[in-house]
Amino acid sequence: MQRRDFIKNTLITTGAVALGSCQDKTPDANRKYEGQIAIIGAGAAGLYAGQLLEEQEAKYTIYEASDQIGGRIRSLKGLADFDLELGAEEIYGPPSQWYDWVKGAGATLIKSDSANDFYQIGSQIQNEEQLKTNANFQAALSLVREALSYTGDDVTLLQFLNARSVPTDVRYVVESILANKYGTSASRLSVKSMAEQSNIWSAGTDLYTSTNLSLTNVLTEKFKNILPKVILNMPIRRIDYSNERIMLEDSQAQRRFVDKVIITVPLSILQSGDLQLTPALPETHTNALKNIGMGAGMKVTLLFNKRFWDSNTAAIYTAGVVPQFKVNSYGREAKSFVLTATIMGEKAEFLSTQSATVLVQSILKDLDTLYGKGAATAALTNARITDWTKEPYIKGAFSYPLVGGGGLLTRQALSQPVKRRIYFAGEATHYGGHSGTVHGAIESSRRAVDELLRDVS
């Protein structure tokens, strides 16, 4: 049973905007806007919004708080003999616009199901073929499928599991495949809203990884013509839209004036108040901010001088401190052996309080238990911890649905323009089933730009 089998693929149309569309179309060329537009954030959503406005010959500037473009897409050179992804990595498709961009940039893509996923059973590690006759493991997969089609009362994944008979040794399988995938813990993830999103997913469900081209390079090439419009190291702290022109105030109290704003910052930045709006956002928006989750998330990239795992391994799921390891070196013509641990929610919160040495030692201890005494510890040559919660302009992984949060309607409420002057894009504002993904962020930008152009008098 491959991971793609846990996601349903159903065509969705949400009102007037087909959010599942992956067509790279230009907005209505007859709608011109002569005012000055500010885009806050130079992640995938902000950059694409800029490109769409560029096609309309609109006047715009993209303000990025950090020293680089990409947002939660971030690549690392030098640790291994290939580029590593410290943030978003897996690419859904086809169809998806992000898949098209990566493929179009010349990337060599490898499917996740071209190799085996391995799972911890007790102190053993086995692949899916070996576990075909393991009743407990098959029961866990059945619960994953049941959760993704759930229509009952709004409960957390933890409550869902507690109400069912889940063998102790495979309970983590459900939590890893679902909660960790959705960016949180079983005690926080809404099963009902998760299923709601899964049921209207319209992108491709195959997962790919680029083996020869970093995702940062994809963005740099895709948006090379608009990068001159990006101002880096420019945190916008306040947006005052109470007067005829909108005032932007940066961290140095410098002010600039524009006519419309597209906000693409991560959900956590709005939730924390790091970006203040005057007047305050309408109650519909503030309620939405309270009812969408975004928590801790980290990646720990581990470089080894030899491979101690099976050569045909794509991912390793464990019951330890790391829910999932991705084998980054699989499918590459490389001499580096790399595992990347992806940790979300409560486990990420706990590990974030540990020193780097203790954190890495905890991970190696679990790998040594699975692969033999000292197998991982003796082979480690380097490690890199990327704690997204500690990134000042990110503050978390990606959005996830909360129990009682209202599901897709809450995301739709957050996405609504304010007074035809403030517009919202980014993965958390996608209400067509693609929240938490790069292609969802991209699709939300088309919606936001279409809304802006629609509001042109």
Side-chain angles (χ1 to χ4, degrees):
M1 182 67 64
Q2 297 296 332
R3 280 166 287 176
R4 70 174 185 269
D5 294 327
F6 302 135
I7 305 172
K8 293 187 177 180
N9 185 17
T10 307
L11 184 65
I12 166 156
T13 303
T14 53
V17 181
L19 293 178
S21 172
C22 65
Q23 298 299 314
D24 199 358
K25 300 175 183 176
T26 302
D28 188 348
N30 294 320
R31 291 173 175 170
K32 300 293 184 182
Y33 183 66
E34 301 298 332
Q36 182 65 44
I37 304 165
I39 301 171
I40 313 301
L47 292 171
Y48 188 42
Q51 183 187 68
L52 292 172
L53 292 173
E54 182 77 16
E55 292 169 357
Q56 298 301 299
E57 300 180 351
K59 293 178 286 187
Y60 68 94
T61 302
I62 303 175
Y63 298 96
E64 169 55 42
S66 73
D67 61 358
Q68 58 190 302
I69 67 165
R72 284 163 280 179
I73 295 173
R74 186 176 301 175
S75 308
L76 173 67
K77 296 180 180 293
L79 186 69
D81 58 358
F82 55 88
D83 294 343
L84 294 161
E85 301 300 338
L86 304 179
E89 183 168 9
E90 292 181 318
I91 303 150
Y92 289 96
S96 86
Q97 201 161 331
W98 181 226
Y99 174 91
D100 292 343
W101 290 1
V102 177
K103 189 73 173 176
T108 299
L109 300 178
I110 185 169
K111 285 177 67 172
S112 295
D113 67 354
S114 61
N116 291 319
D117 290 341
F118 281 76
Y119 296 83
Q120 177 180 353
I121 302 296
S123 60
Q124 302 295 314
I125 193 80
Q126 295 179 286
N127 64 34
E128 298 168 34
E129 181 66 27
Q130 294 168 323
L131 292 168
K132 271 188 174 181
T133 58
N134 185 302
N136 287 354
F137 180 75
Q138 295 303 319
L141 294 187
S142 293
L143 284 174
V144 170
R145 291 189 290 270
E146 181 184 347
L148 285 172
S149 59
Y150 180 80
T151 58
D153 294 337
D154 199 2
V155 297
T156 66
L157 179 60
L158 181 62
Q159 291 170 325
F160 172 86
L161 292 176
N162 287 341
R164 289 153 179 81
S165 177
V166 187
T168 303
D169 63 338
V170 295
R171 185 184 182 104
Y172 84 90
V173 172
V174 184
E175 297 181 357
S176 298
I177 290 176
L178 295 180
N180 202 64
K181 167 187 166 56
Y182 275 84
T184 187
S185 304
S187 63
R188 298 171 182 171
L189 177 65
S190 166
V191 179
K192 185 174 184 178
S193 293
M194 176 190 67
E196 180 185 34
Q197 290 185 199
S198 176
N199 287 334
I200 61 171
W201 179 280
S202 60
T205 56
D206 285 329
L207 288 174
Y208 294 83
T209 300
S210 172
T211 61
N212 67 322
L213 189 64
S214 76
L215 299 184
T216 298
N217 285 343
V218 171
L219 291 180
T220 301
E221 175 62 24
K222 175 71 178 177
F223 298 110
K224 59 186 176 183
N225 293 332
I226 70 164
L227 292 184
K229 300 287 186 71
V230 179
I231 302 178
L232 299 175
N233 299 304
M234 186 61 67
I236 300 300
R237 298 298 191 191
R238 189 163 72 93
I239 300 174
D240 186 338
Y241 61 104
S242 60
N243 297 310
E244 182 177 352
R245 300 203 77 202
I246 302 171
M247 186 274 291
L248 308 180
E249 183 176 280
D250 64 28
S251 58
Q252 303 301 315
Q254 297 296 310
R255 298 180 174 184
R256 48 191 56 78
F257 294 87
V258 299
D259 301 292
K260 290 182 183 289
V261 176
I262 300 176
I263 297 174
T264 73
V265 301
L267 175 72
S268 49
I269 300 302
L270 291 172
Q271 290 174 328
S272 66
D274 286 359
L275 177 59
Q276 299 180 0
L277 281 89
T278 305
L281 288 172
E283 187 176 1
T284 53
H285 289 71
T286 57
N287 285 339
L289 289 173
K290 296 175 184 177
N291 287 303
I292 304 173
M294 182 164 168
M298 66 169 60
K299 276 191 168 185
V300 183
T301 307
L302 305 166
L303 177 66
F304 300 96
N305 59 22
K306 65 179 181 179
R307 175 180 51 77
F308 51 84
W309 54 88
D310 186 276
S311 61
N312 196 39
T313 303
I316 304 162
Y317 291 87
T318 85
V321 296
V322 176
Q324 181 194 21
F325 291 94
K326 179 179 176 62
V327 182
N328 300 89
S329 45
Y330 177 78
R332 304 177 191 268
E333 295 181 1
K335 296 181 181 179
S336 297
F337 302 101
V338 183
L339 296 180
T340 295
T342 300
I343 312 153
M344 300 291 179
E346 292 166 308
K347 287 184 176 181
E349 290 171 2
F350 171 74
L351 292 177
S352 186
T353 67
Q354 307 297 301
S355 69
T357 299
V358 171
L359 192 161
V360 172
Q361 286 177 343
S362 298
I363 295 173
L364 293 175
K365 181 180 178 181
D366 285 347
L367 288 172
D368 286 343
T369 298
L370 295 175
Y371 288 98
K373 186 176 181 180
T377 300
L380 183 74
T381 60
N382 209 338
R384 167 68 180 263
I385 300 169
T386 307
D387 188 343
W388 286 99
T389 315
K390 293 180 178 177
E391 293 291 325
Y393 306 119
I394 304 292
K395 291 190 171 181
F398 47 87
S399 67
Y400 66 87
L402 291 169
V403 169
L408 299 177
L409 291 177
T410 298
R411 295 183 186 276
Q412 187 175 23
L414 179 62
S415 75
Q416 296 305 298
V418 177
K419 295 188 175 180
R420 301 176 67 181
R421 307 180 78 193
I422 308 293
Y423 302 83
F424 297 90
E427 57 87 9
T429 72
H430 195 291
Y431 53 91
H434 297 165
S435 61
T437 68
V438 178
H439 63 272
I442 292 167
E443 291 164 2
S444 74
S445 290
R446 172 161 301 284
R447 170 190 47 74
V449 171
D450 282 344
E451 289 167 345
L452 187 154
L453 295 176
R454 181 192 64 205
D455 287 341
V456 173
S457 300

